[in-house]
Amino acid sequence: MPSVYTVASREFSDIIHSKRFIILVAVFSIVFMVGMASIYLTVLSMAQGLGIAMPTGFLGRAASIIASSMSYFAPIVGIALGCDAISGEREKGTLKTILAQPIYRDTFITGKFIAAILAVSIAVSIASLVNVGGSIVILGVTPTSEDIARLALFIVFSILYAISYYGIAILLSTIARRTTQSVIVSVTLWAIFTFAIPIIASLVAYMYRPITGIEIIQRPGGNVTIRRPSPEEMQRIIEQTRARATITEAINSITPNYHFTKIIQYILGFMQGGLNQSLSIYQGLVSAWPNILVLVLVACITLIASYMVFIRQEAR
Amino acid sequence: MTSIPEYVIETYGLTKVYRSGGGAVVAVDKLDFTVEKSSIFGLLGPNGAGKTTLLMMLTGLTLPTNGSGRVLGYDIVRESREIRRRVGFLPEGFGFYEHLTAEQNLEYIAALNDIPKPERRKRIEDILSLVGLYEVKNRRVSSFSRGMKQRLGIAQALIKDPELLLLDEPTAGLDPEGSRAFKDLVLKLNSEGRTIVLSTHLLFEVGPLCSSIAIMNRGRIVVQGRVKDLISKLMSEVGYKIYVEVRGDLGKLASALTGMEGVRGVRIGVDSLYVDSTRDIRVDIVKIASDMKVEISSIRVEEPSLEDLFIRYYRGEASNA
Ligand SMILES: Nc1ncnc2c1ncn2[C@@H]1O[C@H](COP(=O)(O)OP(=O)(O)OP(=O)(O)O)[C@@H](O)[C@H]1O
Ligand SMILES: [Mg+2]
């Protein structure tokens, strides 16, 4: 269909020439990278001071910097491109002009989606390369060829993550009457997914599975001792901790953020709190498969929902 | 006129109900209407009459709630894309990409219409000159005045070389000169055999241009037909206002006319008479005057204007409601 290509190429050229896009890519990738790196360096020097062993190798050191910077960058790029995709055209009246031409409405959304995938790929790749390059300079460690393969996969899944947020944003932009509404709702949703849900998850887990059996005894004079639990108590505490983790994960898994974090942990080979280099790239992909599927589904479902809303919608 | 008219637009019981919140607005109400091929058709009506809704249904920008319609023989629901391929549409409240130039905007529209690349450039330039934007084709639309954007809107509708043009409020924002240029353009396009439908609430802007009109109010067509037919119909209903300039005895002529069949009233002015009659009695007046040796220097019928038509049918509808 040539008109999909026509819509996509105009949209793509609009995006990459927009101030919003250029500023996002330039400022965000550099500022965030520098911020993350300085935090990491602080942690590193503290760890050295306390005599704690830190992970080694390029990814061992840089993975958390790169991953955490991307975990903010990708959703924001997705939202920035998607939040006015339909409502903006409706407000400017261009939507009517376009719909007066012989195209199908789904062509319009598909064209936008394709353009967004391309633009997001460029943004994410540039940001990742800046981060990787910056990490090499700041940390003074060079990546191995396996590191590079892992980073390439990381870029692919970061694009997928950004697109899933783009999908949410374009759906909201299709439903909303005004762009301001869709911006507010998508940013709020992002904040809820990023900050509120993890806190809620921990709270709920704590409420349902309080860990009992550990007694902290404060004696006069300020000495604190922990009463050693019996083996049976120990067993129960382990079970309770597991149950809590299950609840926390179940709640967190409603957010795309959770699935992205999981994928990245498997792909970059680090787990929370330490390195998990035992997983090969292949094993990582296999373990991450369900999470990958969730992000693909989020992108597809939001796209289909946008079609369905848009096709029934009044063009005024 | 014995030839069977060919219709480019036909609707049957076409209805649109907007539902918002709890309420429902019947924007177009069981509309049956036709537009003859090669006419200049004025869709007239006050704000909120349903003109825009009707045009949007005809081009598939909004779906009818009920009823059906055909444009150029294509079904407005199932074949709306074929309609948009052949019909140039200027929607109400249209817009362009402000950061692109006039030419780039039209380039995009041309691409969406599958106009082959080699043809595009020439066609765009021709159309830009036609609407008087050739000199500013490389300027961004953001620097355009309202009238310039309006002309670009008309250019956009012409890109596909349409046999039918649907223009919603086409003169909005045009200055008198632009408006005159627009009328010339409409006449030119019509002389090439294209049918043009103009919607407006400003009767005087485009009314005189139209060969046929439909007056819409509250989602219904109050009256429609050829302007000529409508005016003679109106004249037979409201009567003939005959203006006679006389040299001689006004009073004698006036009293002679007062008794005539069909005459409802005679008013005497300065060297002139106004006769209100149910028939065209000009010939009789001239005859009586010459019998009385009263000299008539001029005699004419004041035709009702479009405005009279509009006011009559619009008021008529309002009082029925
Ligand atoms: N999206 C909508 N939702 C609800 N009501 C609507 C919607 N669009 C139009 N209407 C209503 O439908 C009716 C007809 O509106 P329409 O725009 O078709 O009239 P119009 O003849 O084009 O008026 P104007 O001369 O002001 O352009 C109006 O009462 C309007 O309020
Ligand atoms: Mg209107």
Side-chain angles (χ1 to χ4, degrees):
Chain A
M1 278 225 277
S3 31
V4 170
Y5 170 76
T6 307
V7 173
S9 63
R10 199 222 79 249
E11 178 76 7
F12 177 71
S13 128
D14 271 10
I15 294 173
I16 59 166
H17 289 109
S18 68
K19 283 197 198 86
R20 189 193 314 176
F21 184 79
I22 296 165
I23 290 172
L24 255 182
V25 174
V27 175
F28 207 103
S29 57
I30 292 166
V31 168
F32 241 84
M33 145 91 231
V34 171
M36 286 300 155
S38 60
I39 291 170
Y40 185 80
L41 290 179
T42 315
V43 171
L44 198 66
S45 62
M46 274 166 60
Q48 274 164 351
L50 295 167
I52 299 168
M54 287 300 283
T56 53
F58 177 76
L59 277 185
R61 300 212 156 170
S64 65
I65 302 175
I66 296 170
S68 54
S69 132
M70 186 56 73
S71 69
Y72 288 96
F73 181 69
I76 286 171
V77 168
I79 289 173
L81 300 190
C83 65
D84 67 343
I86 302 297
S87 54
E89 302 239 14
R90 194 162 34 224
E91 281 166 355
K92 285 180 284 180
T94 45
L95 187 60
K96 279 186 194 162
T97 311
I98 303 313
L99 295 183
Q101 313 308 328
I103 68 165
Y104 291 116
R105 290 196 182 189
D106 53 358
T107 306
F108 188 66
I109 291 198
T110 313
K112 291 218 158 212
F113 230 87
I114 293 171
I117 291 174
L118 289 175
V120 157
S121 304
I122 290 177
V124 166
S125 305
I126 292 175
S128 304
L129 293 179
V130 169
N131 278 359
V132 169
S135 304
I136 292 173
V137 172
I138 294 171
L139 304 174
V141 192
T142 46
T144 64
S145 56
E146 193 193 318
D147 289 343
I148 290 170
R150 286 180 188 269
L151 284 168
L153 282 174
F154 165 77
I155 291 176
V156 169
F157 293 115
S158 300
I159 292 168
L160 176 63
Y161 182 42
I163 289 297
S164 68
Y165 263 98
Y166 176 84
I168 293 171
I170 198 175
L171 175 60
L172 292 170
S173 166
T174 312
I175 296 168
R177 290 291 325 155
R178 310 234 139 257
T179 296
T180 42
Q181 293 170 348
S182 80
V183 171
I184 290 169
V185 177
S186 41
V187 170
T188 307
L189 205 59
W190 169 76
I192 290 173
F193 284 168
T194 310
F195 306 111
I197 298 282
I199 295 171
I200 292 170
S202 314
L203 281 176
V204 171
Y206 180 79
M207 268 156 43
Y208 280 92
R209 291 271 184 276
I211 291 177
T212 54
I214 298 180
E215 275 178 50
I216 298 171
I217 302 156
Q218 188 160 21
R219 297 181 193 284
N223 282 351
V224 173
T225 52
I226 299 172
R227 188 176 63 82
R228 188 179 292 274
S230 66
E232 302 88 66
E233 278 176 332
M234 199 62 217
Q235 187 60 36
R236 207 182 62 241
I237 289 169
I238 290 169
E239 270 162 25
Q240 281 171 338
T241 311
R242 282 220 187 96
R244 273 178 88 159
T246 313
I247 294 174
T248 314
E249 293 217 339
I251 294 174
N252 277 329
S253 67
I254 67 163
T255 71
N257 308 40
Y258 168 83
H259 298 280
F260 175 68
T261 311
K262 278 279 171 194
I263 297 170
I264 293 320
Q265 284 171 358
Y266 290 125
I267 298 302
L268 291 187
F270 75 95
M271 297 298 282
Q272 271 159 327
L275 210 55
N276 177 16
Q277 279 167 334
S278 55
L279 285 182
S280 70
I281 294 181
Y282 176 74
Q283 285 169 324
L285 278 174
V286 170
S287 314
W289 174 239
N291 307 103
I292 296 169
L293 193 65
V294 169
L295 290 190
V296 171
L297 278 179
V298 170
C300 292
I301 289 170
T302 50
L303 176 64
I304 291 166
S306 304
Y307 281 150
M308 291 189 351
V309 174
F310 189 55
I311 282 169
R312 283 146 212 246
Q313 208 162 42
E314 299 296 340
R316 59 198 314 206
Chain B
M1 290 240 194
T2 47
S3 66
I4 301 161
E6 196 184 326
Y7 297 122
V8 288
I9 300 177
E10 298 165 89
T11 71
Y12 314 97
L14 196 61
T15 302
K16 177 74 189 189
V17 182
Y18 287 111
R19 280 172 220 288
S20 51
V25 180
V26 183
V28 172
D29 194 3
K30 302 188 215 66
L31 207 71
D32 297 316
F33 108 121
T34 50
V35 173
E36 266 178 52
K37 190 173 158 65
S38 302
S39 58
I40 300 178
F41 190 97
L43 189 59
L44 313 174
N47 294 133
K51 308 177 296 287
T52 298
T53 307
L54 173 60
L55 295 181
M56 284 176 53
M57 281 194 281
L58 295 178
T59 46
L61 263 71
T62 189
L63 286 174
T65 314
N66 229 316
S68 63
R70 296 195 156 263
V71 175
L72 300 174
Y74 294 99
D75 185 276
I76 60 168
V77 175
R78 279 175 288 110
E79 298 165 309
S80 73
R81 184 159 175 253
E82 292 306 316
I83 294 172
R84 291 194 299 273
R85 208 183 271 296
R86 292 165 179 83
V87 176
F89 181 33
L90 176 71
E92 185 183 61
F94 67 92
F96 286 102
Y97 296 100
E98 301 263 320
H99 60 285
L100 300 181
T101 66
E103 195 177 27
Q104 286 168 334
N105 269 292
L106 291 185
E107 179 81 41
Y108 181 48
I109 303 289
L112 290 176
N113 280 283
D114 295 327
I115 294 166
K117 223 172 182 151
E119 274 178 48
R120 271 184 223 165
R121 197 179 181 80
K122 171 141 176 32
R123 198 183 290 188
I124 288 170
E125 291 191 346
D126 288 349
I127 286 166
L128 282 170
S129 349
L130 201 61
V131 298
L133 290 176
Y134 185 80
E135 280 71 35
V136 292
K137 66 179 176 134
N138 291 322
R139 260 170 60 181
R140 287 175 181 225
V141 172
S142 55
S143 74
F144 275 21
S145 71
R146 218 183 126 189
M148 287 159 88
K149 285 181 192 165
Q150 192 71 24
R151 292 181 206 195
L152 191 57
I154 294 165
Q156 161 277 128
L158 288 172
I159 279 284
K160 59 191 96 178
D161 191 17
E163 46 186 300
L164 169 63
L165 275 157
L166 302 180
L167 309 175
D168 200 351
E169 309 279 356
T171 51
L174 294 185
D175 57 18
E177 198 193 324
S179 176
R180 213 195 50 227
F182 169 74
K183 286 175 202 162
D184 292 343
L185 179 61
V186 167
L187 290 172
K188 181 179 183 307
L189 294 168
N190 183 243
S191 71
E192 295 165 0
R194 297 178 218 262
T195 315
I196 295 147
V197 175
L198 308 161
S199 124
T200 183
H201 59 273
L202 301 167
L203 183 66
F204 306 107
E205 283 285 312
V206 295
L209 208 61
C210 301
S211 53
S212 297
I213 57 165
I215 296 176
M216 244 187 128
N217 196 19
R218 297 174 203 209
R220 294 179 183 225
I221 284 182
V222 187
V223 63
Q224 76 169 317
R226 299 203 177 118
V227 173
K228 279 194 308 228
D229 300 346
L230 290 175
I231 284 178
S232 48
K233 181 165 171 263
L234 186 67
M235 293 219 319
S236 66
E237 278 175 34
V238 303
Y240 292 72
K241 308 256 180 289
I242 302 167
Y243 177 75
V244 195
E245 269 183 47
V246 184
R247 252 176 251 145
D249 194 340
L250 276 175
K252 209 168 74 180
L253 182 59
S255 53
L257 292 177
T258 310
M260 263 182 74
E261 191 214 323
V263 172
R264 292 190 295 205
V266 178
R267 207 151 51 79
I268 301 174
V270 182
D271 290 338
S272 59
L273 291 176
Y274 296 93
V275 184
D276 182 1
S277 158
T278 53
R279 310 180 285 129
D280 188 355
I281 51 163
R282 275 178 295 180
V283 179
D284 308 69
I285 294 173
V286 172
K287 206 162 153 275
I288 291 170
S290 75
D291 290 351
M292 289 178 164
K293 304 274 186 291
V294 177
E295 194 188 331
I296 290 180
S297 53
S298 89
I299 182 165
R300 64 187 155 82
V301 175
E302 278 181 10
E303 289 206 350
S305 61
L306 268 172
E307 189 196 6
D308 295 328
L309 260 180
F310 192 62
I311 287 171
R312 174 170 171 79
Y313 288 107
Y314 176 37
R315 284 221 186 112
E317 168 70 8
S319 60
N320 290 347

